[in-house]
Structures are given as structure tokens and as C-alpha cells.
Amino acid sequence: MNRIVSCDMNELLDDISRCTECAAHLPHGVHTIVRASSQSRLLIMGQAPERLVHDTGVQWNNQSGDNLRRWLGVDKETFYDTNKIALIPMGFCYPDKGKSGDLPPRKECKPRWHEVLMSRIEQPRLTLLVGGYAQKTYLGDRMKGSLT
């Protein structure tokens, strides 16, 4: 595993975009999808990009994204403004289809990138964990059966 030496957020995002650590496990190829700024105030931690996101490069570009934006009370312009909202999936690339939906996020991204990426966000005010993988990873034993 390479050590991260980038100190600037843009350099770090460039490093992430060049990552090929799990390329052998990605039948559709590497296409890292993450959006963040050192000024982001809300961190949305999701699962992994779905096929449409892999193809378009636009996160939450589906009905789930429409529902999330409606729930948050923000329009698309605000949602995709990285100075306001960071979109950080558990796995940065589309993992492929499984028997009952998409495969789980690849496990390589979190240990290699999450801590350093979040350390570059200067003053986050809120982290929203969307989906079981993000919740289990960041809540651990504090995760409950239902958050509703």
C-alpha cells in the first residue's frame, strides 16, 4: 500500500482518481467517483457507485438521489456544490452486479483513502451515513436494526 503524501485536497483527489489497487476485481474498469472539498460541511457517506454512476460520473444520479435531495431539502446545484456537500462512497468504483443486486463496495478504499480524505475536510458539521455498509463501518456496535 502506498503512503499518501498529498497535502492539498485537489492533489489528494487526483491521487484517488489514479488509484488502481483493486482494478483486477472490477470487470467494468476503474472509475473512481468521489466529490469533496476542504470546505465541505456535510459529508454523505454512501455505498458504492451503481452502474449508471460509473457510466456518467455523476453520483446519486437516480431516483435514490432525487429522494435524498428531497429529504435533505436541497436542489441539485446545492447538492453537487462540494464546498457544501462531500459525496464519499465506501467504495469509489462500481463493484459489478451480484445475484441480488450490486456487489458490496470494495474494501480497499476505506483503509487507503477515507481517513486521509476526511482529514482534509476542515470543519465538517454533519456526516450522514447512507446504507448498511457505511453505517456498519462507522457505527460498528452502535448500529441499530432500524434508524427510522
Side-chain angles (χ1 to χ4, degrees):
M1 180 183 307
N2 298 337
R3 289 283 139 211
I4 311 300
V5 294
S6 299
C7 57
D8 171 81
M9 177 64 90
N10 291 328
E11 290 174 10
L12 177 60
L13 292 170
D14 286 344
D15 288 348
I16 291 170
S17 75
R18 289 189 297 272
C19 180
T20 59
E21 186 168 324
C22 59
H25 305 285
L26 300 171
H28 299 279
V30 174
H31 186 187
T32 57
I33 310 286
V34 60
R35 296 175 58 89
S37 158
S38 61
Q39 302 304 306
S40 300
R41 295 294 174 249
L42 170 61
L43 281 61
I44 299 178
M45 297 289 226
Q47 304 285 98
E50 64 172 25
R51 182 62 193 260
L52 177 63
V53 174
H54 173 85
D55 291 343
T56 65
V58 181
Q59 293 165 288
W60 297 96
N61 187 25
N62 55 20
Q63 184 64 45
S64 295
D66 293 341
N67 292 339
L68 179 59
R69 285 185 291 278
R70 191 171 26 261
W71 181 76
L72 291 170
V74 299
D75 59 19
K76 280 188 172 185
E77 182 178 339
T78 301
F79 188 78
Y80 292 112
D81 180 345
T82 58
N83 286 323
K84 295 177 181 166
I85 299 176
L87 303 173
I88 304 172
M90 293 305 299
F92 297 158
C93 294
Y94 172 59
D96 201 17
K97 279 275 187 214
K99 289 181 181 180
S100 61
D102 289 345
L103 292 172
R106 297 289 316 163
K107 297 185 184 305
E108 293 87 350
C109 295
K110 186 199 180 284
R112 182 166 186 182
W113 300 111
H114 275 220
E115 184 177 335
V116 69
L117 180 59
M118 290 190 296
S119 75
R120 299 300 190 278
I121 299 174
E122 295 172 5
Q123 295 180 3
R125 295 195 178 145
L126 179 66
T127 300
L128 178 61
L129 303 171
V130 179
Y133 292 103
Q135 292 167 8
K136 185 173 183 176
T137 298
Y138 282 98
L139 294 177
D141 293 341
R142 297 174 295 158
M143 183 177 165
K144 305 295 180 203
S146 172
L147 297 177
T148 59

